[in-house]
């Protein structure tokens, strides 16, 4: 009865996890802009129709031409200054260099819906349209996890006991083929390999929870996946639950088989008395660093050889590092351009009309002062009070108060503030330096964890346990 219930319950958990792994699967995508996909549609198609198709597929906060408004007007002086160059130039973000296509910017969380919407529009309207995103499945990432799985499987004392629980982290690497996730999967597989050595012994479950080596590997891998994304973390929790159910099922199966035998062997030592790390397992503890190093090398290579985002040779506004041979010489405004324009608008009421033609782009720490005249016993005292200061606080408040989800400033604020933007075709996908920095830190963390555990074994556990093996 226990065996049948364990089998049924485990199968239900396995099925639920499989559905989530398939339904939430993700593929790395090459894009021109960080956090946004670019859709291009023939200029003959009305913007309302394009937005209708996008919103029909669940895409929200689409940044388009008609949704652009003047970001703000000074409360002090509703009459805008003569400087409107920024307002005019930012509209060029919504067409290619030849003005043959209209451009739309869709938040990356809607990238699947955007691809479907634009494909439907192109097919039903018979016009040229597309999205810049290029999906390329990195097969080498799950292959490295598979090699790690096979090596630890062959090294396991009870191979069937390793195979079933270890299958679920392997499936996670197929569903989420990212470098940091794969490194965390390697740590999970190592933890399952270490648990394998305690199998069939008394106090098995409590020994697993008492082992710092196993606990650190599991908790460390979960924290890495949490840093990748909440969705990946939830999937990782499901993987842990499925692996635990696999151990429960295998335990019930073992008891069922033992019950049918005339006599069985009972290990003398309990799981508490068996070392988790000793000479053999310590070798694989350090050996797990090799696949993580391979993932690290692949990641470093990928950041410099990222695939080109497909835009069909159309010259569109693109981040430029100054090395693009096909980039236009014309430079489009960036977020610093918006800050400069906004500074001129808010400081306009405090300047004399004679000084307006001389207003330049603001410098860090520049301030606008108001003169006060106070009548005292000693005569008129002149003081100056700063009412505006161009600094980080000014820029932060400006973004919070004026940048809306459908404004082009929202697109620009998700990039580097001093980014150079030019028309370019066949551009390499924009590298998200912050995201890459986080991934690099996660990979290094995954590499350090087994090394620290090995150092702990050399310093604390080797003398205690080596003689017993």
């Amino acid at each position: 009865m226990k065996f049948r219930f364990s089998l049924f319950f485990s199968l239900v958990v396995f099925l639920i996890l499989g559905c989530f792994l398939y339904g939430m699967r993700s593929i790395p995508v090459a894009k021109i802009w960080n956090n946004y996909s670019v859709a291009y549609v023939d200029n003959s198609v009305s913007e309302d129709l394009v937005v209708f198709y996008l919103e029909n597929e669940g895409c929200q906060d689409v940044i388009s031409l008609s949704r652009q408004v003047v970001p703000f007007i000074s409360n002090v002086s509703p009459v805008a200054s003569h400087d409107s160059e920024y307002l005019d130039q930012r509209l060029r973000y919504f067409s290619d260099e030849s003005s043959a296509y209209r451009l739309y910017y869709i938040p990356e969380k809607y990238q699947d819906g955007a691809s479907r919407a634009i494909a439907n529009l192109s097919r039903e309207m018979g016009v040229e349209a597309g999205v810049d995103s290029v999906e390329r499945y990195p097969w080498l990432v799950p292959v490295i996890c598979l090699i790690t799985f096979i090596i630890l499987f062959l090294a396991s004392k009870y191979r069937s006991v390793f195979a079933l629980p270890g299958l679920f982290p392997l499936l996670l690497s197929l569903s989420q083929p990212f470098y940091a996730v794969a490194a965390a999967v390697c740590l999970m597989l190592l933890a399952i390999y270490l648990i394998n050595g305690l199998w069939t012994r008394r106090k098995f479950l409590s020994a697993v929870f008492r082992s710092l080596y196993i606990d650190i590997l599991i908790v460390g891998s979960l924290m890495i996946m949490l840093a990748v994304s909440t969705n990946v973390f939830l999937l990782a929790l499901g993987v842990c639950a499925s692996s635990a159910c696999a151990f429960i099922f295998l335990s019930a199966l073992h008891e069922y088989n033992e019950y049918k035998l005339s006599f069985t062997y009972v290990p003398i030592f309990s799981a508490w008395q068996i070392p988790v790390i000793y000479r053999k397992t310590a070798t694989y503890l350090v050996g797990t660093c090799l696949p993580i190093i391979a993932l690290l090398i692949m990641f470093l290579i990928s950041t410099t050889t990222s695939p080109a985002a497909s835009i069909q040779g159309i010259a569109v506004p693109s981040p430029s590092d100054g090395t693009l041979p096909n980039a236009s010489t014309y430079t489009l405004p960036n977020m610093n351009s918006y800050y400069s324009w906004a500074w001129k608008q808010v400081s306009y009421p405090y300047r004399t009309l004679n000084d307006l033609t001389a207003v330049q782009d603001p410098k860090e720490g520049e301030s606008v002062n108001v003169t006060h005249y106070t009548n005292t016993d000693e005569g008129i005292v002149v003081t100056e009070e700063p009412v505006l200061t161009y600094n980080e606080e000014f820029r932060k408040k400006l973004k919070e108060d004026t940048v809306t989800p459908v404004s082009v400033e929202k697109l620009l604020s998700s990039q580097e503030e001093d980014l150079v933007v030019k028309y370019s075709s066949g551009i390499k996908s924009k590298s998200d330096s912050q995201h890459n920095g986080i991934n690099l830190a996660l990979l290094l963390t995954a590499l350090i964890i087994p090394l620290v555990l090995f150092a702990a074994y050399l310093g604390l556990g080797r003398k205690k346990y080596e003689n017993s093996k």
Side-chain angles (χ1 to χ4, degrees):
M1 185 67 181
K2 180 180 179 181
F3 165 68
R4 291 180 180 178
F5 175 78
S6 299
L7 175 60
F8 173 77
F9 182 77
S10 299
L11 288 177
V12 171
V13 174
F14 299 161
L15 181 61
I16 293 174
L17 176 67
C19 292
F20 275 102
L21 287 176
Y22 179 79
M24 299 175 66
R25 66 193 185 280
S26 182
I27 300 176
V29 177
K31 299 189 303 298
I32 293 177
W33 293 89
N34 293 339
N35 307 318
Y36 282 87
S37 295
V38 183
Y40 60 95
V41 182
D42 190 277
N43 212 16
S44 62
V45 182
S46 70
E47 180 178 315
D48 290 340
L49 183 60
V50 176
V51 173
F52 170 78
Y53 271 86
L54 289 170
E55 292 184 344
N56 195 45
E57 290 291 342
C59 301
Q60 301 296 323
D61 299 331
V62 177
I63 301 176
S64 60
L65 177 62
S66 67
R67 296 183 173 185
Q68 305 310 301
V69 297
V70 177
F72 68 91
I73 297 176
S74 172
N75 294 327
V76 179
S77 176
V79 179
S81 72
H82 67 284
D83 183 10
S84 61
E85 181 180 1
Y86 168 78
L87 298 179
D88 296 335
Q89 296 302 324
R90 68 176 183 154
L91 300 182
R92 301 191 66 169
Y93 274 92
F94 299 99
S95 64
D96 69 307
E97 193 169 24
S98 66
S99 298
Y101 299 90
R102 186 70 60 84
L103 305 180
Y104 304 82
Y105 301 89
I106 303 100
E108 64 178 349
K109 62 182 177 180
Y110 304 120
Q111 90 181 20
D112 292 338
S115 298
R116 291 193 299 269
I118 297 302
N120 292 337
L121 173 66
S122 178
R123 182 179 64 256
E124 295 174 11
M125 300 297 297
V127 296
E128 188 172 356
V131 183
D132 71 325
S133 302
V134 174
E135 297 182 351
R136 297 191 177 184
Y137 192 91
W139 287 104
L140 280 178
V141 173
V143 165
I144 288 177
C145 293
L146 176 62
I147 294 173
T148 304
F149 175 89
I150 293 173
I151 293 174
L152 294 177
F153 169 78
L154 296 176
S156 297
K157 185 176 181 181
Y158 305 98
R159 292 178 179 176
S160 61
V161 177
F162 174 84
L164 185 57
L167 175 64
F168 303 105
L170 193 61
L171 292 177
L172 178 60
S173 70
L174 287 169
S175 174
Q176 307 291 323
F178 302 101
Y179 297 105
V181 174
V185 165
C186 291
L187 297 182
M188 277 190 172
L189 293 174
L190 178 60
I192 294 173
Y193 165 72
L194 297 180
I195 293 173
N196 186 269
L198 306 177
W199 184 248
T200 71
R201 296 184 180 273
R202 292 175 291 111
K203 301 181 180 180
F204 165 76
L205 186 61
S206 60
V208 170
F209 285 104
R210 284 186 56 184
S211 172
L212 284 178
Y213 293 105
I214 296 173
D215 293 344
I216 290 175
L217 287 172
I218 294 177
V219 173
S221 62
L222 288 175
M223 291 301 99
I224 289 173
M225 294 191 190
L226 177 60
V228 173
S229 75
T230 304
N231 288 342
V232 172
F233 175 70
L234 293 176
L235 289 175
L237 290 180
V239 166
C240 290
S242 298
S243 296
C245 287
F247 278 116
I248 294 173
F249 166 70
L250 291 172
S251 177
L253 179 62
H254 175 74
E255 291 181 7
Y256 178 75
N257 291 332
E258 293 282 296
Y259 174 76
K260 296 190 298 181
L261 297 176
S262 301
F263 66 92
T264 60
Y265 296 97
V266 178
I268 297 175
F269 294 107
S270 70
W272 285 16
Q273 297 171 287
I274 300 299
V276 172
I277 300 294
Y278 50 90
R279 182 177 297 154
K280 178 183 176 181
T281 56
T283 301
Y284 290 98
L285 179 65
V286 177
T288 306
C289 294
L290 295 179
I292 298 177
I293 291 174
L295 291 168
L296 179 60
I297 293 173
M298 290 170 55
F299 167 75
L300 294 175
I301 293 175
S302 71
T303 57
T304 58
T305 61
S306 54
S310 176
I311 204 70
Q312 302 296 327
I314 302 170
V316 298
S318 309
S320 171
D321 58 3
T323 62
L324 298 174
N326 58 348
S328 167
T329 56
Y330 181 82
T331 302
L332 280 73
N334 57 19
M335 200 59 185
N336 277 337
S337 304
Y338 173 62
Y339 293 146
S340 178
W341 173 84
W343 173 259
K344 294 174 184 177
Q345 302 309 305
V346 297
S347 64
Y348 170 71
Y350 301 96
R351 301 181 185 276
T352 68
L353 295 178
N354 296 328
D355 292 340
L356 288 179
T357 56
V359 175
Q360 303 296 324
D361 292 337
K363 297 180 180 179
E364 187 68 21
E366 180 179 336
S367 63
V368 173
N369 300 323
V370 172
T371 304
H372 295 283
Y373 300 88
T374 307
N375 188 10
T376 66
D377 295 338
E378 300 178 355
I380 302 297
V381 176
V382 180
T383 58
E384 289 192 350
E385 176 190 2
V387 293
L388 293 172
T389 303
Y390 186 80
N391 52 24
E392 183 60 32
E393 183 179 353
F394 170 82
R395 294 188 290 270
K396 180 180 179 181
K397 189 174 188 304
L398 188 66
K399 283 196 291 186
E400 293 174 351
D401 295 345
T402 65
V403 175
T404 65
V406 296
S407 66
V408 70
E409 288 78 23
K410 184 66 175 179
L411 167 72
L412 298 177
S413 66
S414 65
Q415 320 298 317
E416 298 173 7
E417 293 181 349
D418 58 350
L419 187 70
V420 177
V421 182
K422 298 181 179 181
Y423 284 110
S424 180
S425 60
I427 185 174
K428 293 289 184 180
S429 61
K430 179 71 177 68
S431 174
D432 185 340
S433 58
Q434 181 182 5
H435 183 66
N436 287 341
I438 293 174
N439 277 324
L440 179 60
L442 294 178
L443 286 168
L444 292 175
T445 300
L447 180 62
I448 290 172
I449 288 176
L451 294 177
V452 170
L453 294 180
F454 182 73
Y457 157 70
L458 293 179
L460 302 174
R462 186 171 183 177
K463 293 182 180 179
K464 183 177 179 180
Y465 296 123
E466 195 69 24
N467 293 333
S468 65
K469 300 306 294 181

